[in-house]
Amino acid sequence: MLYYIFRFLEQFNIPGAHIWSYISFRALLALILSLMISAWFGEYFIKWMKRRNISETARDPSIDPFGVEKKGVPTMGGIIIIVSILVPVILLGRMRNIYLLLMIGTTLWLGFLGFMDDYIKIFRKNKEGLKGRYKIVGQLSIGFIVGLTLWLSPDAVVRENVTIAQQNQEMVVKHQPQAVKSLKTTIPFIKNHNLNYSDVMSFCGKYKVAAGWVLFVFMTILVVTAVSNGANLNDGMDGMCAGNSAIVGVALAIFAYVSSHIVYAAYFDIMYIPGSQELVVFLAAFIGAMIGFLWYNAYPAQVFMGDTGSLAIGGIIGVCAVIIHKELMLPILCGIFFIESLSVIIQTQWFKIQKRKGKRVRVFRATPIHDTFRRLDSQLDATSTYILKGWPRRPFHESKITIRFWITTIILAALTIITLKVR
């Protein structure tokens, strides 16, 4: 909104109006504004929730070796995050941008899905929350809508990168003069750096392009669902998900910026994506919201984000990666989220397999994996056998676990960024 106002005023030579055309200015302003909103709104939100005694079910202190009982802590803090993202984006973003609209839609839809889950848990006193099939349908649907929009929208185009050999044998990266619909995506550690979904579906013959788009939509659904669930599982300790997500957001903002700048895109030999600079504004607001939320969510937490926040966060990360054609880098960048999900899958599937044999065998002390690091052997189910019972040797306080997970995510984010040059 403010972007259009000041661009209008620019034609009247109003001093300073031209600065609103700079993506760096709007992005940094969005970060500051979202941080301030989350800090200010968060305080009033927490007080409002406490006055109405709207809080998450108290965690049993027996599962924590340090006996920490969290009682009366308000949940649904994801509302703080969503408001802190959307207000700066609406004020500072170019609302006609298809990518920005997709990000806003994803945030609202998955935020609503998570809100319904939290509402059922708190007000209906149903610990299970929203039924799993409804969650999955909601996640699949937004993934399908995003994938289909990127397929059909005439604004979702790229200028593909090509490497040209000069007479002096020097290799120069240039971009095609025409923006086109593209099924290419960036892959790490590969010299040519791009994978074309239509090439994967080449066995379909003359229908390989259509089949490639079908595969692209399927990949979008898979990425959004997987990252959303991973973020949801990672939200189990004070500050864990918010901190990890802020770090991931910084890496994605860097990718979005270089993808929107034709010179930097040529330098890193990646696709130039016109219009993706608006994602930098969105991600700056996202980072500010995460940091501002940590003001209240850091140990000891004064508010939990709940599914309202975690589902939306995962969706934002997944959709953004798909838009800038970096979805195949998410297993590295979001390594913590995927390890959390993988630990749950391994635990449940192995237990089911062994149960058919009449045994009760588990792999980890507890899942998601972060719970393994705070669980004592004496707190385990005496009727079950644990493959990794002696690991780790001692429990850790959740604040230490959280910080170490943040450090791991920083390393993974740095590794993901340098893959642009390491091939």
Side-chain angles (χ1 to χ4, degrees):
M1 185 171 63
L2 291 177
Y3 168 82
Y4 294 106
I5 293 174
F6 281 96
R7 289 309 299 270
F8 172 76
L9 294 175
E10 188 177 352
Q11 63 184 322
F12 300 106
N13 297 319
I14 302 297
H18 70 284
I19 200 172
W20 291 82
S21 62
Y22 292 103
I23 195 67
S24 55
F25 172 77
R26 289 191 289 126
L28 290 174
L29 197 59
L31 187 149
I32 295 170
L33 186 58
S34 64
L35 205 160
M36 293 176 61
I37 291 172
S38 59
W40 172 79
F41 176 60
E43 181 179 0
Y44 286 93
F45 179 83
I46 292 169
K47 290 179 179 178
W48 188 87
M49 295 287 278
K50 282 187 173 182
R51 282 198 301 267
R52 285 155 180 77
N53 197 29
I54 303 173
S55 60
E56 193 169 284
T57 303
R59 190 181 74 188
D60 184 359
S62 65
I63 70 171
D64 191 311
F66 300 95
V68 178
E69 180 179 10
K70 297 185 179 179
K71 186 176 181 181
V73 178
T75 188
M76 291 188 182
I79 294 174
I80 301 172
I81 296 172
I82 292 172
V83 171
S84 301
I85 293 173
L86 294 184
V87 171
V89 167
I90 292 172
L91 287 175
L92 304 171
R94 293 173 58 190
M95 297 305 294
R96 296 175 184 174
N97 183 279
I98 184 63
Y99 302 134
L100 200 61
L101 293 175
L102 284 175
M103 297 302 296
I104 292 172
T106 299
T107 305
L108 290 173
W109 176 247
L110 290 177
F112 173 75
L113 193 69
F115 174 82
M116 292 304 297
D117 184 71
D118 290 334
Y119 180 87
I120 292 171
K121 287 178 181 176
I122 296 170
F123 296 99
R124 300 286 180 85
K125 306 301 180 183
N126 183 349
K127 292 183 180 181
E128 298 299 321
L130 189 66
K131 291 184 179 180
R133 62 176 179 269
Y134 295 135
K135 276 188 184 181
I136 293 296
V137 169
Q139 292 167 325
L140 295 178
S141 62
I142 192 62
F144 178 75
I145 292 170
V146 170
L148 200 63
T149 302
L150 294 174
W151 177 3
L152 301 177
S153 174
D155 296 326
V157 292
V158 305
R159 285 171 60 181
E160 296 180 349
N161 50 311
V162 290
T163 304
I164 301 173
Q166 303 291 333
Q167 291 182 349
N168 59 1
Q169 302 301 316
E170 182 183 358
M171 305 301 288
V172 177
V173 177
K174 294 186 177 181
H175 289 88
Q176 298 285 7
Q178 297 296 324
V180 297
K181 306 292 292 185
S182 178
L183 281 169
K184 290 184 178 180
T185 187
T186 304
I187 51 177
F189 306 117
I190 302 298
K191 187 174 182 179
N192 294 329
H193 221 38
N194 291 332
L195 171 72
N196 196 320
Y197 286 120
S198 63
D199 291 341
V200 176
M201 305 300 288
S202 58
F203 62 87
C204 294
K206 63 180 182 179
Y207 302 106
K208 70 174 186 178
V209 175
W213 279 110
V214 172
L215 177 60
F216 170 76
V217 173
F218 173 78
M219 280 295 297
T220 303
I221 294 171
L222 180 63
V223 166
V224 173
T225 304
V227 181
S228 183
N229 284 324
N232 185 240
L233 291 171
N234 187 237
D235 180 34
M237 291 185 178
D238 296 349
M240 174 78 80
C241 185
N244 287 323
S245 300
I247 297 164
V248 172
V250 171
L252 286 175
I254 293 172
F255 281 131
Y257 184 74
V258 297
S259 297
S260 68
H261 196 293
I262 194 166
V263 176
Y264 293 146
Y267 176 74
F268 288 108
D269 191 9
I270 59 175
M271 288 168 280
Y272 168 55
I273 309 173
S276 61
Q277 65 271 14
E278 294 306 311
L279 292 178
V280 181
V281 176
F282 186 96
L283 288 168
F286 175 78
I287 295 164
M290 292 297 102
I291 296 173
F293 185 71
L294 279 174
W295 187 271
Y296 302 105
N297 187 238
Y299 184 87
Q302 296 170 260
V303 64
F304 299 136
M305 69 170 62
D307 284 16
T308 306
S310 60
L311 290 180
I313 286 170
I316 287 169
I317 292 170
V319 171
C320 181
V322 170
I323 289 174
I324 59 177
H325 298 257
K326 301 294 182 290
E327 65 272 17
L328 297 185
M329 290 186 172
L330 285 180
I332 303 174
L333 180 59
C334 297
I336 288 295
F337 292 168
F338 286 113
I339 289 172
E340 296 272 41
S341 299
L342 190 61
S343 68
V344 173
I345 294 171
I346 292 173
Q347 185 86 317
T348 54
Q349 294 305 313
W350 184 257
F351 184 78
K352 288 179 181 178
I353 291 171
Q354 294 300 314
K355 193 174 182 180
R356 296 192 195 104
K357 300 178 182 179
K359 302 177 182 178
R360 294 177 60 86
V361 182
R362 305 177 194 271
V363 179
F364 305 102
R365 287 173 174 170
T367 54
I369 194 68
H370 61 254
D371 278 332
T372 290
F373 294 98
R374 69 176 176 190
R375 192 66 64 92
L376 290 168
D377 286 343
S378 59
Q379 298 171 324
L380 303 181
D381 181 7
T383 63
S384 297
T385 302
Y386 294 84
I387 296 176
L388 298 177
K389 184 176 180 179
W391 178 82
R393 294 182 179 179
R394 62 184 179 85
F396 297 93
H397 194 279
E398 72 172 89
S399 60
K400 183 176 286 292
I401 299 170
T402 297
I403 295 297
R404 289 185 175 179
F405 271 54
W406 288 358
I407 294 171
T408 303
T409 301
I410 291 172
I411 295 171
L412 292 174
L415 179 61
T416 306
I417 294 170
I418 65 174
T419 58
L420 292 177
K421 297 300 291 181
V422 178
R423 309 179 192 176

